[in-house]
Amino acid sequence: MGTNGVVGLVVVILFVVAAFYIVGYYIRKKNQETLNGLEKRKEELFDLPVIEEIDEVKKMHLVGQSQNTFREWNQKWADLSTKSFAELESQIFEVESQNESLKFFKAKAATADADKTLTEMEEQAQKIRQGLKELRETEERNSLAVQKALDIFEELKSELKEEATTFEPAHAELQKQAKQVEEEFTKFVMLNTSGDPIEAREVLEKAEKDTYELEATMKRVKPLVDELSNRFPGQLEELQAGYKKMIDENYVFPEDQITSDIARVTRKVEASLADLEKVELDTVEAATKEIATDIDDLYATMEKEYDARQYVDRNRKVLSEYITHSMRNNRQLLIELDHTAQSYTLNHNELGQTRTFQTEIEELFRRNELLEPKIEKKEVPYTEVQAFYKDAYQILDEIENQQVTIDESIRDLRKGEKEAQEKMDHYEFTLRNLKRYVEKQRLPGLPGEYLEYFFLVTDRVEELSKALNKIRINMDDINKMVSVCDEDMVELTDRTHDLVDAAALTEQVMQYANRYRHTHPDVKAAIDHGLDLFNQEYRYQDALDEIGTALERVEPGAFKRIEDFYFNHPDLV
């Protein structure tokens, strides 16, 4: 190998050594930075105030499951702070050794192991602290709950002592229950002090539960005592006194059982007081609802009878007068109907209805007459009289309404007759005017169809006149005839004017068409045929149609001009 070769080899070796040194330095530095991070995290973990938190919870004198849970978290921290910390220290020392001896890859692996261990320790420490926090907060809540239960219990004891009468007859049983709760709290303190946390916790839970049950029971007892000892007896005494007073004032009760009912309700109250003494609250509450309903029913019965007397006193004279008034009206209506029946046919059973009214009124009169002496002698319940009065009022009101309707229908008969007579006079006048109007036109004759209808209408008017001149007329039939005649008059008037107009227009059109008679054979033929229809057969409309049609063929629009002039200037035609 030459000098140049040796120099080159030396340069390469120096380059490799330098590169190795640089890489090693970089890796060693990076590992050291990681190691410093681990050291810092380890110190932060060591500095966590876990011991203080454990001591804080320990001072709470936990019992039962809470104490067991605390022991578990305490043991976990002890393991973490001894075994886990020792293992971590060992792993960190291994990292330092490997890094110092330039065993970079082994140092990197040892660093990963230490990081994993430290991460697990941090997570475990966080769980321990969270568990201690939850335990502390739970116990604080529990302590507040226990204190609250104790405060409530002390208030209940004071209430039982200071307001004993408000709980009678249940006071003795409530005192017994309070004594039991007090013994449970005492037993809890004893067990907790002696270091039996599990049983102490069970006793405490029962004491809390019994405290709240006692509170609920006392709240239910108070209103029941007030009802059974004060309100109900007072109401029953009031009912008894009120009943006696009403009997002294000669009230009569239907199926009088008020005294026995008051006695029965009183026995219910006594039985409920006995149940209340044993604090059988469900039974007592159900019974008090029944008692309240029974008392309300008794009040209602007595009030109903009292109100009925006021009603009867107000309406006794009024009803008698109403019956007399209705009877007088009905007799007058019968007289009117009898008189009307001589001149008119009664088609709606007016007489039968009015006789039925008479029977109903007489029955009310009879029943009222029978009640009067009983009312005077106080032998009948006022509610019974009130019921009769109300029924009687309803019947009399209905009768009066129907009496008015019948009376109005009678008046309508006379009014209808007068109107029909006036219409008949108008029909006769119209027929005479139509006849004169047609005669005035000096027509060669009248169509048979028109004459037939004219005579038909005349016959119907004569038939109406005969019906109106009967000794006893039927207004239903007359009204129907008037309706038909009304229609007939309109129809006959229209037919008459149509007939006259057709005849007059025929003459006008014929005069105008004559100018084409010698120049248009078809016009001449139409005029000649139209004259036959006009003079021989009296078919004026047909004659007008034939001549008008022929004229239109010769001079379109001529017929329309003649027609418009005729209807627009009737005075000039």
Side-chain angles (χ1 to χ4, degrees), residues 24-52:
Y25 174 80
Y26 176 76
I27 294 174
R28 186 170 180 273
K29 183 180 180 183
K30 189 170 183 64
N31 285 342
Q32 187 62 45
E33 289 175 355
T34 303
L35 184 62
N36 292 340
L38 290 173
E39 286 287 351
K40 184 179 180 182
R41 288 168 62 195
K42 181 189 75 172
E43 291 173 4
E44 290 175 350
L45 185 58
F46 270 115
D47 291 339
L48 290 174
V50 180
I51 295 299
E52 291 83 351

Side-chain angles (χ1 to χ4, degrees), residues 339-396:
H339 177 72
T340 302
Q342 297 174 19
S343 302
Y344 300 94
T345 300
L346 301 177
N347 296 303
H348 306 288
N349 194 30
E350 290 89 347
L351 274 170
Q353 289 183 65
T354 307
R355 291 189 182 108
T356 300
F357 298 158
Q358 189 69 22
T359 302
E360 291 176 350
I361 297 168
E362 288 172 354
E363 175 61 18
L364 293 177
F365 179 82
R366 184 189 67 80
R367 290 177 61 188
N368 192 53
E369 287 295 301
L370 289 175
L371 274 177
E372 278 297 317
K374 292 181 180 180
I375 297 171
E376 286 294 329
K377 296 176 182 179
K378 307 297 188 292
E379 296 176 348
V380 60
Y382 285 103
T383 48
E384 183 179 317
V385 180
Q386 181 187 41
F388 166 70
Y389 280 11
K390 288 185 175 181
D391 287 344
Y393 274 129
Q394 184 176 353
I395 292 170
L396 291 171

Side-chain angles (χ1 to χ4, degrees), residues 115-155:
D115 181 75
K116 180 181 178 183
T117 299
L118 182 56
T119 300
E120 290 175 352
M121 290 174 67
E122 288 171 338
E123 292 175 353
Q124 185 66 14
Q126 182 62 31
K127 288 181 180 178
I128 292 169
R129 295 189 71 198
Q130 182 64 30
L132 291 170
K133 180 184 177 185
E134 291 176 357
L135 188 60
R136 184 172 63 252
E137 291 175 350
T138 300
E139 283 305 311
E140 287 174 353
R141 288 195 297 270
N142 288 343
S143 297
L144 289 173
V146 171
Q147 190 58 49
K148 181 180 178 183
L150 281 168
D151 292 343
I152 291 174
F153 178 67
E154 290 300 324
E155 291 175 3

Side-chain angles (χ1 to χ4, degrees), residues 293-345:
T293 300
D294 291 342
I295 289 176
D296 287 344
D297 290 344
L298 285 166
Y299 272 116
T301 298
M302 294 171 66
E303 288 173 2
K304 189 183 295 183
E305 200 60 42
Y306 177 83
D307 292 342
R309 182 171 189 170
Q310 311 307 310
Y311 179 88
V312 170
D313 288 345
R314 288 196 308 270
N315 289 276
R316 190 171 172 185
K317 182 179 178 182
V318 175
L319 180 67
S320 295
E321 291 175 351
Y322 195 2
I323 292 173
T324 302
H325 164 78
S326 185
M327 189 175 294
R328 183 171 56 251
N329 282 354
N330 211 67
R331 286 171 181 166
Q332 183 62 38
L333 183 59
L334 281 171
I335 293 171
E336 287 290 326
L337 285 170
D338 184 62
H339 177 72
T340 302
Q342 297 174 19
S343 302
Y344 300 94
T345 300

Side-chain angles (χ1 to χ4, degrees), residues 210-249:
D210 291 345
T211 296
Y212 291 115
E213 286 182 354
L214 177 61
E215 181 185 32
T217 298
M218 289 172 62
K219 284 182 179 178
R220 291 170 69 187
V221 165
K222 264 194 173 182
L224 293 174
V225 169
D226 181 58
E227 286 185 321
L228 293 170
S229 298
N230 300 313
R231 190 161 71 91
F232 289 162
Q235 289 176 330
L236 289 168
E237 288 178 7
E238 184 179 49
L239 285 167
Q240 188 66 55
Y243 174 71
K244 183 178 182 305
K245 183 180 179 182
M246 292 180 77
I247 292 298
D248 292 342
E249 293 176 356

